[in-house]
Amino acid sequence: MPGRYLILSGRCRDLRARLMHGLPRHDLGIVLELDDLLILSSPDLPIVMLDGGRGVIIGELFSREPPFETAHTLPRAAQRAIVDGVRGDALIRDFWGHYVAALVESDGRNLTILRAPFGSLGAYHVSAEDGIAITPDVGLLGDLGLMPGGVDWDSVARHVIAPNLRMHRTCLLGVAELMGGYGLSITSGKFTLFEAWNPWRFTDRRDNLTDDVEAVELLRRCVDGCVGALARTTNHAVLGVSGGLDSSIVAAALAQSGAKLSCLTLFTRDAAGDERRFARILAGHLGVQLFEMFEDVAHVDVTRSDAAHLPRPIARGFAQSGDRSNLAVARNVGADTFFSGGGGDNVFCYLQSAAPVADCLMTGRLRQLWPTARDISQIADCSIWTALRSGVRRACFGSRTYRWRPELAFLTAQMAAEGPSACISLWADAPQDALPGKATHVAWLIGILNHLEGYGRERSHRTVWPLMALPIIELCLRIPSWMWSRGGQNRALARRAYANALPSDILERRSKGTPDSFVVELFEANRERIRQLLCDGLLAANGIVNRDEIASFLVDKGPVRGLGYWRIMALTDVEAWLQTVGSNRNTA
C-alpha cells in the first residue's frame, strides 16, 4: 500500500517497544522522535522537516502560485509562520497538496495535527495507551493491537441512509477520521478537534469574480498548474477517459505538461456505456496511446469488498472490472500512477436546477436574470418561464442551505424514521447570506469526499484526482453560479478555458456516458447471490434493511425498471464489507 506513516503522540512505552521491534516488517523508518512524539513513515512518502524538532509535514506539498513548485524544504520564514501561527493556518494559506502535518509548539507540550483540505493522504486515529495513534492504514492499527474491535452499527445505519455524507466518525468502534481541512490540538494525551479550512470563506459575494474573461484565464492557468505539479510526481500515468469534458481537460493538461501518458476507456455492451468514439477523437487529437477495455461481469465478485481494509464500506462492487482493466494497462506500459478526471462535475458547478437564477435575483443582478433563466432552461430541458418561476420561488421561499435527501429505500421502518437526523454534513453552518447556487456547489464538493480515498487498484498504485486540487476548488467557489451555465452549456467556463486545446466534438458534447447498463447486467447475473447476501446477512440481522421488501424486489424476473437496482447494489456493497470485516471482528 503506497504512502504509510504513523504518528504516536504520548509516551506509550510498551507500544513504542513493540514498534521498534517490528519496524522492518512494517517498512517504516523513524522520521522524528521526541519524548512525547514518535513519527514513522514509509520511504515512498515525501517528508519536509521543520528545524529544531518543531515538526514534520508528511506527503506532497506544493506552493500556492503557478507553476506550483514542489516544496522539498521550506525557508525559515515560512517555517516560523507555520509553527508560530494559529493552528497551522499559514500552512493551508501558503501551500496545498496531499499531506498530514505534525507541528510542535515551542514549549514542546502541545502538538497540532493538520490534514490538507481535500488531501488524499488519510488520517485515522485511535486511543493508544496514554496517547493517540494516527495513520492512514487501519491494518497497521490492528497489527499493533490498537483496534478496539467491533462494528459501529449507528454509523453503518447512517452510512446506509446518507452514503455521501462522510463524517469524522467511522463504521468501526473507536476509530475516528481526521477529515481534510481539520486538525487535532493534542495536550497531555487529550485532543480537541478544530476546523482549519472552510469552503464558505470563498463564496463571499464581495470576493466573486465578475469578469468572464478573467475567470477563464485564471481557471486555465490554475488547472494547468495543478495538473502539471501532480504530473511531476509520476513517471508514467494511466488516465481513464470517456471523451467527456472533465477527463479530456485532465488529458490536455497532462499532455501539455510533457508527462508520459497512456489513456484507457471502458465500454459496455450497451451503447450508453460505449464512449469509444469520443475517446478516440481525444486520443488522436493529443497523440497519446488509447487502450479500450470491455466491462465484464465475470470480473466482479459481489461478495467481495475492495474497502475491506478501510473503516467504511465505500467501495463500489461494479468498479472491480474497471480496476482490473486499469491494472492490466498499468502493467503493460509500466505506469506507476492512475490519474482521473473525477470530481469535474462537482468542482465546475454542474447544476441543473434554478439555483443560479435565484442567485442572480438575490444579488441584484437583474440584467442577468433572463439570460440565466434561458441558459438553465436549455441545460435542464424546461421552459424559460419554468426556470424563472422556480428561481424566484427559491430566492423568496427556499432554504439558504442545501438539504440532503435521505436514502430510505429497502430500509426498515425504524431506520426510515431516523433518516432526517442522519443527513448532517461537514460545513453545514452556511453564512446567513449564503446563496442557493453556492450552497449546492459546496454540497457537491462534500459529496465527492468518499471517492478520494484509495481502495481496489489504489492499494498498489497511487490515484490522483487533479481537479480536486485545493487551488482549483477555491477558485471555482469564487465564480458565481450563473457564469458556469453561460450559453446553455454546463461547465461553460471550463469549456472556454480549453477551447484551444480540445477538439470541437469534445467541447460541444452534451451527452454523458453511464455505467447503468453494466450495473443492470451485474444485478441480473447475481440475483440469487444478492438475495442470500442481503436477506440472510448482517444488515438484516441488525434491523437495518427490510428483508421482505428486498426479497420481493429480487424475485421479480421482469425487465429492470426504475433505480431500485442501484440501491440494491449499494446495499450489497455494504453487506460485503460487513461480512469481510465481521470475519475478523465481533459485529453483533
Side-chain angles (χ1 to χ4, degrees):
M1 180 187 297
R4 300 201 311 159
Y5 68 84
L6 177 66
I7 299 173
L8 188 60
S9 173
R11 295 190 179 273
C12 306
R13 293 183 177 85
D14 292 342
L15 181 55
R16 284 197 181 201
R18 295 202 305 274
L19 270 171
M20 295 305 167
H21 181 72
L23 283 185
R25 178 168 61 89
H26 293 298
D27 192 29
L28 296 173
I30 296 175
V31 174
L32 180 64
E33 186 173 12
L34 304 173
D35 286 345
D36 291 327
L37 178 64
L38 177 65
I39 300 179
L40 311 170
S41 176
S42 57
D44 54 346
L45 271 179
I47 298 291
V48 176
M49 300 294 300
L50 304 183
D51 294 341
R54 296 296 302 277
V56 176
I57 302 170
I58 307 168
E60 296 172 343
L61 190 67
F62 304 101
S63 64
R64 273 286 190 164
E65 295 299 323
F68 303 115
E69 296 292 344
T70 304
H72 299 291
T73 59
L74 297 181
R76 289 189 175 179
Q79 293 191 37
R80 284 196 298 271
I82 291 170
V83 297
D84 294 336
V86 178
R87 291 177 165 177
D89 58 343
L91 180 59
I92 292 179
R93 183 190 67 225
D94 298 335
F95 300 91
W96 67 278
H98 302 281
Y99 62 81
V100 171
L103 309 175
V104 182
E105 290 192 10
S106 56
D107 59 9
R109 291 185 299 177
N110 297 327
L111 174 69
T112 296
I113 305 296
L114 191 63
R115 184 178 173 192
F118 293 93
S120 60
L121 184 60
Y124 297 106
H125 58 94
V126 298
S127 297
E129 295 180 8
D130 60 348
I132 299 167
I134 305 165
T135 180
D137 183 6
V138 175
L140 177 60
L141 297 176
D143 291 345
L144 296 173
L146 297 177
M147 293 291 288
V151 166
D152 184 335
W153 285 105
D154 288 341
S155 290
V156 170
R158 185 184 184 281
H159 176 87
V160 167
I161 294 169
N164 291 321
L165 298 185
R166 189 179 181 111
M167 297 294 285
H168 299 280
R169 184 173 170 181
T170 77
C171 294
L172 292 179
L173 288 170
V175 180
E177 179 178 14
L178 178 62
M179 300 291 292
Y182 283 80
L184 297 176
S185 181
I186 304 175
T187 304
S188 302
K190 297 182 180 180
F191 69 85
T192 302
L193 179 72
F194 65 91
E195 182 184 82
W197 182 90
N198 188 301
W200 295 110
R201 298 172 191 167
F202 304 92
T203 64
D204 190 323
R205 64 190 72 178
R206 292 168 296 184
D207 296 327
N208 278 352
L209 294 171
T210 57
D211 182 79
D212 287 34
V213 174
E214 180 189 15
V216 166
E217 291 176 352
L218 289 174
L219 185 61
R220 175 64 184 268
R221 185 170 59 170
C222 189
V223 172
D224 279 351
C226 290
V227 174
L230 292 164
R232 293 194 294 271
T233 68
T234 180
N235 294 319
H236 190 143
V238 172
L239 171 66
V241 298
S242 62
L245 180 66
D246 306 325
S247 59
S248 297
I249 285 176
V250 174
L254 281 171
Q256 178 176 297
S257 74
K260 197 170 184 179
L261 172 66
S262 299
C263 291
L264 164 67
T265 189
L266 304 171
F267 65 96
T268 66
R269 301 181 196 277
D270 187 82
D274 187 349
E275 301 176 279
R276 284 176 291 179
R277 182 174 76 86
F278 292 103
R280 289 166 183 167
I281 292 172
L282 173 69
H285 179 80
L286 298 177
V288 298
Q289 185 178 22
L290 175 67
F291 292 86
E292 302 173 0
M293 306 288 277
F294 175 65
E295 291 270 54
D296 193 341
V297 296
H299 295 158
V300 178
D301 179 358
V302 296
T303 68
R304 190 187 93 211
S305 173
D306 281 341
H309 62 294
L310 298 172
R312 293 188 186 89
I314 59 172
R316 297 177 296 179
F318 73 86
Q320 292 175 24
S321 175
D323 286 348
R324 181 177 175 137
S325 295
N326 273 275
L327 287 169
V329 171
R331 286 191 294 267
N332 187 319
V333 300
D336 60 344
T337 308
F338 296 112
F339 271 68
S340 171
D345 287 352
N346 310 64
V347 177
F348 297 146
C349 199
Y350 184 178
L351 303 185
Q352 292 179 289
S353 73
V357 179
D359 288 3
C360 287
L361 185 61
M362 294 170 68
T363 55
R365 300 266 176 178
L366 300 184
R367 287 187 178 182
Q368 192 60 46
L369 199 61
W370 183 262
T372 299
R374 182 187 61 226
D375 293 338
I376 294 299
S377 73
Q378 295 178 45
I379 293 174
D381 194 22
C382 65
S383 72
I384 297 178
W385 291 109
T386 297
L388 190 61
R389 281 195 304 270
S390 297
V392 171
R393 188 165 53 247
R394 181 80 180 269
C396 296
F397 307 109
S399 171
R400 295 296 181 98
T401 60
Y402 183 84
R403 293 181 178 176
W404 292 91
R405 293 183 179 180
E407 300 277 356
L408 303 179
F410 303 111
L411 300 188
T412 62
Q414 180 181 353
M415 287 297 105
E418 297 179 8
S421 63
C423 292
I424 300 173
S425 71
L426 299 174
W427 311 313
D429 296 328
Q432 288 187 345
D433 62 348
L435 298 173
K438 278 299 150 190
T440 306
H441 197 175
V442 170
W444 267 200
L445 294 173
I446 293 170
I448 202 67
L449 293 175
N450 265 350
H451 301 285
L452 299 181
E453 188 169 32
Y455 51 88
R457 69 183 185 226
E458 291 91 339
R459 298 197 72 185
S460 59
H461 292 67
R462 216 170 43 117
T463 293
V464 177
W465 296 55
L467 297 182
M468 299 301 295
L470 188 62
I472 300 175
I473 289 172
E474 292 177 351
L475 173 63
C476 291
L477 284 171
R478 292 177 56 211
I479 298 174
S481 61
W482 61 83
M483 288 173 62
W484 292 106
S485 59
R486 287 275 199 255
Q489 280 275 37
N490 59 69
R491 298 162 290 173
L493 296 184
R495 296 177 193 273
R496 285 174 55 186
Y498 281 84
N500 66 352
L502 294 172
S504 59
D505 285 335
I506 302 295
L507 290 168
E508 297 170 7
R509 184 183 177 191
R510 291 177 178 267
S511 63
K512 290 178 73 74
T514 171
D516 286 15
S517 63
F518 180 64
V519 178
V520 169
E521 189 179 355
L522 188 63
F523 172 80
E524 294 283 19
N526 289 276
R527 277 182 184 266
E528 181 55 27
R529 296 180 79 187
I530 292 170
R531 187 197 65 76
Q532 293 177 1
L533 197 65
L534 290 179
C535 293
D536 301 329
L538 294 166
L539 286 171
N542 284 272
I544 294 177
V545 300
N546 185 325
R547 55 164 55 97
D548 293 336
E549 190 177 352
I550 290 172
S552 176
F553 183 85
L554 288 168
V555 79
D556 182 3
K557 300 296 185 180
V560 175
R561 297 185 179 89
L563 296 177
Y565 68 94
W566 268 108
R567 178 62 167 167
I568 290 291
M569 295 307 296
L571 293 173
T572 301
D573 293 336
V574 176
E575 185 65 40
W577 180 84
L578 288 167
Q579 297 281 353
T580 306
V581 172
S583 65
N584 297 317
R585 301 186 181 96
N586 176 30
T587 59

